[in-house]
Amino acid sequence: MGNKPKEIDFEAEYELQLAKLHSSIGQEVPLSHHYVRGAKPTLVSIDGELATLRFPNGTVMTKVPIRHLCDDAGYWRS
């Protein structure tokens, strides 16, 4: 018989991932290809569940759900 699966504390995992995201402010972050392909934006700020991003061309995108800060490049390969 195998080991009992470890129970996941989703609240603690959420807080850990949110802290990692906050530490990424001022750095390039991945963004779902539903928004754009090409250069990665810089994370400017996080307000609750929404992020503000700045692209290299100066464009600012506001109110981006933080769940969309992901790298889904694998789904878009031709």
Side-chain angles (χ1 to χ4, degrees):
M1 184 179 241
N3 293 337
K4 181 180 175 185
K6 185 177 175 182
E7 290 189 23
I8 299 172
D9 182 352
F10 289 103
E11 184 107 5
E13 186 65 24
Y14 171 79
E15 293 300 324
L16 175 66
Q17 294 303 320
L18 192 57
K20 283 183 183 178
L21 194 55
H22 277 279
S23 71
S24 297
I25 291 177
Q27 299 176 18
E28 286 185 351
V29 292
L31 181 62
S32 173
H33 288 282
H34 289 286
Y35 288 91
V36 66
R37 285 185 163 190
K40 291 182 179 178
T42 300
L43 179 60
V44 176
S45 66
I46 298 172
D47 184 25
E49 296 289 319
L50 302 174
T52 300
L53 307 170
R54 182 180 305 113
F55 289 87
N57 66 2
T59 302
V60 175
M61 184 181 287
T62 60
K63 298 183 180 177
V64 177
I66 59 173
R67 68 180 177 275
H68 291 181
L69 300 179
C70 64
D71 185 2
D72 58 5
Y75 296 108
W76 292 89
R77 294 195 180 150
S78 19

